[in-house]
Amino acid sequence: MSKIVAITMGDPAGIGPEIIVKALQSDILKNIKSVVIGSADLLKKQLTMGLFNNVSFNIINNVNDANFSENVINIIDVKLADIDALQPGKIQPQAGDLAYRCVKKATELALAGEVTAIATAPLNKEALHSAGHMYPGHTELLAKLTNSKDVAMVLYTDSLKVIHVTTHVSLRNFLDTLSSARIEKVIKIANDFLKKVGISAPKIAVAGVNPHAGEHGLFGDEEIKFVTPAIEKMQSCGIDAIGPCAPDTVFLQAHQGKFDIVVAMYHDQGHIPLKLLGFYDGVNIAAGLPFIRTSADHGTAFDIAWQGIAKPDSMIESIRLAELLSK
């Protein structure tokens, strides 16, 4: 089977429809086979924004009916409840529900082997919740849909890769639930993921929790209680894990090539350095799923939704990487 990427629309009130259309007209993706999972009528409304350049739609029910000719966008249509009531840039239950149904459909196709990877446009967590789908984000939703127990978020650029012990939880909850077992799992997921994408002997840096990685307990004991034991356990399993490393320097060291990936302890510890260095070309990858899933590394950008000014760079890169990394 040739590689086929399913692209989910994300929240239709955000920039997802726009960046998908722009991305699929990029020369970078012209040889990549893809199928969009989303509202065909909503994508057609992009015509009013002048985003299309000799593009035709092929609305299909099955991946086998796709036409991978140049300038053809294949769409498996997922109906929006009331397209006329959709308000760009607003949180709406019907938008959250559409985003959920697109991910669910794409997951079904991937598990059935009809597509080899998924690239997701951004969804809005509040809209998702308002529709009754109580997931913190894509990673947790995909873990549930695939019954995957050990999943972690990877932020990926050519020069910096970061994987997270925790993501969409409060700092208080993170501190209260931190464990060596979870850190061990994430180190192993990082090692397996890097090998899967072609790095034969991964070198993994593990960030500390506290300033200067705790300074041997001076600024906190989480490193002593949780981080160091996890690193030592993984080292005993033959994984090249180093740390705990000072969080204020380890990301620069990885960016300069000293490490292949950094294990970040919580959301902002990993997101801030990566988005500073790769906001437009960074890609979000859910490691630990039975297939490759990538995503644009930014949100729904409600403030500029449906204005025709959103940049598709991260979406382009996520589709490119989904195809490149998939088997």
Side-chain angles (χ1 to χ4, degrees):
M1 176 185 173
S2 60
K3 296 180 179 182
I4 301 172
V5 180
I7 305 168
T8 61
M9 178 171 281
D11 191 303
I15 62 172
E18 177 184 338
I19 61 174
I20 288 172
V21 169
K22 288 179 174 177
L24 292 180
Q25 294 181 79
S26 165
D27 287 341
I28 296 171
L29 304 181
K30 66 181 180 180
N31 295 319
I32 291 178
K33 297 177 179 179
S34 65
V35 175
V36 178
I37 315 296
S39 165
D41 289 338
L42 205 61
L43 285 172
K44 288 177 181 178
K45 287 189 75 172
Q46 301 290 314
L47 284 168
T48 63
M49 299 167 62
L51 298 181
F52 292 98
N53 182 21
N54 298 321
V55 169
S56 61
F57 293 106
N58 181 33
I59 301 173
I60 58 178
N61 294 316
N62 302 294
V63 175
N64 290 338
D65 298 326
N67 176 359
F68 297 117
S69 301
E70 191 172 354
N71 296 325
V72 174
I73 295 179
N74 297 290
I75 308 168
I76 293 181
D77 190 21
V78 179
K79 299 290 186 182
L80 189 65
D82 186 350
I83 192 169
D84 294 327
L86 183 73
Q87 300 179 62
K90 303 292 184 182
I91 293 168
Q92 298 144 88
Q94 70 157 337
D97 186 59
L98 179 77
Y100 169 82
R101 288 186 288 120
C102 290
V103 174
K104 187 172 184 290
K105 178 63 177 179
T107 301
E108 291 168 355
L109 294 174
L111 291 176
E114 296 184 48
V115 300
T116 49
I118 298 174
T120 59
L123 55 72
N124 181 280
K125 298 168 184 62
E126 191 173 347
L128 190 70
H129 287 195
S130 72
H133 307 298
M134 310 307 288
Y135 299 95
H138 271 119
T139 302
E140 297 83 1
L141 170 56
L142 286 159
K144 177 67 174 179
L145 291 173
T146 59
N147 294 314
S148 300
K149 293 182 178 179
D150 297 332
V151 178
M153 179 189 293
V154 174
L155 299 184
Y156 190 108
T157 70
D158 287 340
S159 61
L160 178 62
K161 298 163 187 63
V162 180
I163 190 168
H164 295 73
V165 172
T166 61
T167 49
H168 301 118
V169 299
S170 70
L171 279 175
R172 170 54 57 208
N173 195 34
F174 153 68
L175 288 169
D176 289 343
T177 58
L178 184 65
S179 69
S180 291
R182 173 60 181 169
I183 298 170
E184 290 169 16
K185 285 181 180 179
V186 174
I187 293 171
K188 186 178 186 306
I189 292 169
N191 191 64
D192 292 346
F193 170 74
L194 290 176
K195 286 186 174 181
K196 187 178 292 186
V197 300
I199 299 175
S200 58
K203 199 171 187 66
I204 301 168
V206 182
V209 175
N210 299 294
H212 307 291
E215 290 276 18
H216 305 287
L218 183 63
F219 302 135
D221 62 0
E222 283 80 8
E223 288 77 15
I224 296 169
K225 291 167 64 176
F226 305 118
V227 184
T228 298
I231 293 170
E232 291 175 348
K233 175 73 174 294
M234 291 297 95
Q235 288 172 341
S236 72
C237 296
I239 295 176
D240 189 4
I242 296 96
C245 303
D248 60 349
T249 57
V250 69
F251 296 97
L252 176 61
Q253 292 170 335
H255 178 62
Q256 293 173 337
K258 186 174 181 180
F259 305 110
D260 296 307
I261 198 167
V262 179
V263 175
M265 290 293 126
Y266 54 91
H267 183 282
D268 282 11
Q269 187 187 65
H271 276 62
I272 290 171
L274 192 130
K275 289 193 174 183
L276 177 65
L277 295 169
F279 185 81
Y280 292 113
D281 62 349
V283 173
N284 182 322
I285 301 176
L289 297 174
F291 48 79
I292 289 292
R293 173 264 172 178
T294 64
S295 179
D297 185 28
H298 54 68
T300 49
F302 277 171
D303 58 321
I304 60 169
W306 288 79
Q307 296 178 30
I309 59 175
K311 292 181 179 293
D313 305 50
S314 187
M315 193 74 233
I316 291 170
E317 186 63 10
S318 70
I319 298 168
R320 186 190 72 83
L321 266 181
E323 195 272 347
L324 178 66
L325 300 180
S326 66
K327 294 183 179 180

